[in-house]
Amino acid sequence: MLDDLKLHYEIERFNTRYAAALDAQRLTEWADMFTDDAFYLVTSRENADRGLPVGLIYCEGRAMIRDRAFALHNTAMFAPRYLRHIIGNLSVERGQEIRATANYAVFQVLFDRPDATVHQLGVYRDVFLRTDQGLKLRERRCVYDNLLVPNALCLPV
Amino acid sequence: MLDDLKLHYEIERFNTRYAAALDAQRLTEWADMFTDDAFYLVTSRENADRGLPVGLIYCEGRAMIRDRAFALHNTAMFAPRYLRHIIGNLSVERGQEIRATANYAVFQVLFDRPDATVHQLGVYRDVFLRTDQGLKLRERRCVYDNLLVPNALCLPV
Amino acid sequence: MLDDLKLHYEIERFNTRYAAALDAQRLTEWADMFTDDAFYLVTSRENADRGLPVGLIYCEGRAMIRDRAFALHNTAMFAPRYLRHIIGNLSVERGQEIRATANYAVFQVLFDRPDATVHQLGVYRDVFLRTDQGLKLRERRCVYDNLLVPNALCLPV
């Protein structure tokens, strides 16, 4: 059980670093948390439930992940905002692979309205790989509950 | 301290499974997380502060909990929605009984409006029992802050 | 790693007690979680990013923290509300000092509207000290994302 606890703690710390990188728009640091051949998907709960492989964001490989992040970053400049992740309900399974899920709430403050609202709500479905540089994401599927994501802007989450 | 930490971790995992069962509407799995003689209450902070034993949901025994869940499930079909729990601020006390509290935020996405909102916000006040099938809830009092729960629909939380 | 995990757990419990004290308006208990010479600041992300030392709340020393809490408590009576913290994404660093950060969402229910909304969203930037009475805050900077805090009421968070 202690080994499970330690792994749980490691992944919790990973998710905290991941969220901090995105919230501070440190996008290179964010992209480096994926393996070279990583799969990154942001898709709706409806599509995920039906097994549809489409998504708001669909990236195969870290190069594509990095490109996407910076393309969005440049776009996002036109509607600047603060983002803040709260990640909870972490669950980790150790088998041949390290699989994990966690619920996330991303709140946003747009610069033209004073209050904070829910930007996106969902679950991470992950596969982690232990590498020479520590844990990396080989797969992260972000499945969101919102029917429409506010502002139709597909920021990484 | 390590024993406290392990128990904390066990109950955190329990709450994560509990939330996942409700969010995916796996209501049989949810009801099986209670003991046969469990007490389950959903009540307002105002009533709880005054020591009033009334509630939106009041169940004595797992049979009643299961019945209530499925009755609500059928009703809920008329206003389908996605739910998502974020559980945090867990506190565990070991005495003769295992007592715990945790804050919860339940977000919802209704199918006729695109954004996510806070469905219910509150605190779990729990008594856990260690059984042959692992930890079970002997008592869960869900004390919510909202003055009215949106849509007047008393879903289990 | 086990020592890191234990310290992480200790600070998580500290933050849970801290939030519970504020949510229940136990302000003396709250103030006692700071050292005598503690620094407590509530400031906007914009000011923090620019290194400006101003804030909605600015307290040097526990006496000032306690005074401020009760002054606000009396004011708050005119607009009663329920508050509920969800604290997540804890990160702890052990060096010469114990430094930590954690994201917080404070939800509120005002007594003249039924639903729960986000009161304040931000990050705690902390320095902890181990004393004879356990861990205490020597410094807590609450950096909030909201551009305006609803109701312009500067409650401690």
Side-chain angles (χ1 to χ4, degrees):
Chain A
M1 178 183 180
L2 197 57
D3 284 343
D4 288 338
L5 208 166
K6 284 177 181 171
L7 182 62
H8 185 99
Y9 169 61
E10 258 193 291
I11 292 184
E12 192 180 322
R13 281 192 305 171
F14 181 96
N15 281 339
T16 294
R17 280 194 296 123
Y18 178 100
L22 279 183
D23 290 346
Q25 304 225 355
R26 297 192 302 265
L27 298 178
T28 304
E29 183 184 328
W30 172 72
D32 285 346
M33 298 183 83
F34 292 86
T35 62
D36 285 344
D37 63 345
F39 179 63
Y40 177 68
L41 177 74
V42 181
T43 195
S44 68
R45 189 161 168 175
E46 201 183 356
N47 282 340
D49 285 351
R50 293 179 185 174
L52 297 177
V54 296
L56 270 182
I57 302 181
Y58 184 105
C59 295
E60 293 179 328
R62 184 167 54 182
M64 200 168 158
I65 291 170
R66 195 186 288 111
D67 284 359
R68 193 76 161 88
F70 283 98
L72 286 160
H73 186 252
N74 294 336
T75 308
M77 288 300 95
F78 294 110
R81 75 195 66 200
Y82 290 136
L83 294 178
R84 176 83 49 203
H85 287 67
I86 304 267
I87 300 177
N89 300 42
L90 173 63
S91 172
V92 181
E93 272 176 60
R94 266 194 311 169
Q96 271 193 302
E97 296 172 311
I98 303 170
R99 292 187 165 271
T101 59
N103 286 355
Y104 64 87
V106 185
F107 298 91
Q108 71 178 352
V109 175
L110 289 162
F111 286 5
D112 57 358
R113 52 181 290 190
D115 56 326
T117 54
V118 179
H119 169 69
Q120 198 178 116
L121 198 68
V123 59
Y124 294 132
R125 302 196 178 285
D126 303 328
V127 181
F128 284 91
L129 195 70
R130 197 175 290 286
T131 75
D132 293 346
Q133 297 105 47
L135 283 177
K136 300 260 183 188
L137 279 166
R138 188 152 69 182
E139 196 177 302
R140 170 156 281 185
R141 294 167 192 268
C142 312
V143 181
Y144 60 87
D145 296 328
N146 313 46
L147 301 186
L148 282 174
V149 174
N151 292 34
L153 236 178
C154 324
L155 296 165
V157 287
Chain B
M1 178 185 181
L2 197 55
D3 283 343
D4 288 337
L5 208 166
K6 283 177 180 171
L7 182 62
H8 185 100
Y9 169 61
E10 258 192 290
I11 291 185
E12 191 181 322
R13 280 192 305 170
F14 182 96
N15 281 338
T16 295
R17 281 193 294 122
Y18 178 100
L22 279 183
D23 289 346
Q25 306 223 355
R26 296 191 305 264
L27 298 177
T28 304
E29 184 184 327
W30 172 71
D32 285 346
M33 299 181 85
F34 291 86
T35 61
D36 285 344
D37 63 345
F39 179 63
Y40 178 67
L41 176 75
V42 181
T43 194
S44 68
R45 188 160 168 175
E46 201 183 354
N47 283 339
D49 284 350
R50 293 179 186 173
L52 298 177
V54 295
L56 270 181
I57 302 181
Y58 184 104
C59 294
E60 292 180 326
R62 185 167 55 184
M64 200 168 157
I65 291 170
R66 195 188 287 111
D67 284 358
R68 193 75 162 88
F70 283 98
L72 286 160
H73 185 252
N74 294 337
T75 309
M77 288 300 95
F78 294 109
R81 75 196 65 201
Y82 290 136
L83 294 178
R84 175 84 49 204
H85 286 66
I86 305 266
I87 301 176
N89 300 42
L90 174 62
S91 172
V92 180
E93 271 175 61
R94 265 194 311 169
Q96 270 192 302
E97 294 173 312
I98 304 170
R99 293 187 165 269
T101 59
N103 287 355
Y104 64 86
V106 184
F107 298 92
Q108 71 177 354
V109 176
L110 289 164
F111 286 6
D112 57 358
R113 51 182 289 189
D115 55 326
T117 53
V118 180
H119 170 68
Q120 196 179 117
L121 199 68
V123 59
Y124 295 132
R125 303 197 177 283
D126 303 327
V127 180
F128 284 91
L129 195 70
R130 197 174 290 286
T131 73
D132 293 346
Q133 297 104 47
L135 283 178
K136 301 261 184 189
L137 280 165
R138 188 153 68 183
E139 195 175 302
R140 170 155 281 186
R141 294 168 193 266
C142 312
V143 180
Y144 60 88
D145 296 327
N146 313 46
L147 301 187
L148 282 175
V149 174
N151 292 36
L153 235 177
C154 325
L155 295 164
V157 287
Chain C
M1 179 185 182
L2 196 55
D3 284 343
D4 288 337
L5 208 166
K6 283 177 182 172
L7 182 62
H8 184 100
Y9 168 61
E10 258 192 290
I11 292 184
E12 192 181 323
R13 279 191 306 170
F14 181 96
N15 281 338
T16 294
R17 278 194 297 123
Y18 178 100
L22 279 183
D23 289 347
Q25 305 224 355
R26 296 193 303 266
L27 298 177
T28 303
E29 184 184 328
W30 171 72
D32 284 345
M33 299 182 84
F34 292 86
T35 62
D36 285 344
D37 63 345
F39 179 63
Y40 177 68
L41 177 72
V42 181
T43 194
S44 68
R45 188 160 168 177
E46 203 183 353
N47 283 339
D49 285 350
R50 294 179 185 174
L52 298 176
V54 296
L56 271 180
I57 302 180
Y58 184 104
C59 295
E60 293 180 327
R62 186 169 52 184
M64 199 169 158
I65 291 170
R66 196 188 285 112
D67 283 358
R68 193 76 163 88
F70 283 98
L72 286 160
H73 185 252
N74 294 336
T75 308
M77 288 301 95
F78 295 109
R81 75 197 66 202
Y82 290 136
L83 295 177
R84 176 82 51 202
H85 287 67
I86 304 266
I87 301 177
N89 300 40
L90 173 64
S91 173
V92 181
E93 270 176 61
R94 267 196 308 169
Q96 271 193 301
E97 294 174 311
I98 303 170
R99 292 188 166 269
T101 59
N103 287 355
Y104 64 86
V106 184
F107 298 92
Q108 72 179 352
V109 176
L110 289 163
F111 287 5
D112 57 358
R113 50 181 292 189
D115 55 325
T117 54
V118 179
H119 169 68
Q120 196 178 119
L121 199 67
V123 60
Y124 294 131
R125 302 196 178 285
D126 302 328
V127 180
F128 284 91
L129 194 72
R130 195 175 292 287
T131 74
D132 293 346
Q133 296 104 47
L135 283 177
K136 300 260 184 189
L137 280 165
R138 187 152 69 182
E139 195 177 303
R140 170 155 281 185
R141 293 167 193 268
C142 313
V143 181
Y144 60 87
D145 297 327
N146 313 45
L147 301 188
L148 281 175
V149 174
N151 291 36
L153 235 178
C154 325
L155 296 165
V157 286

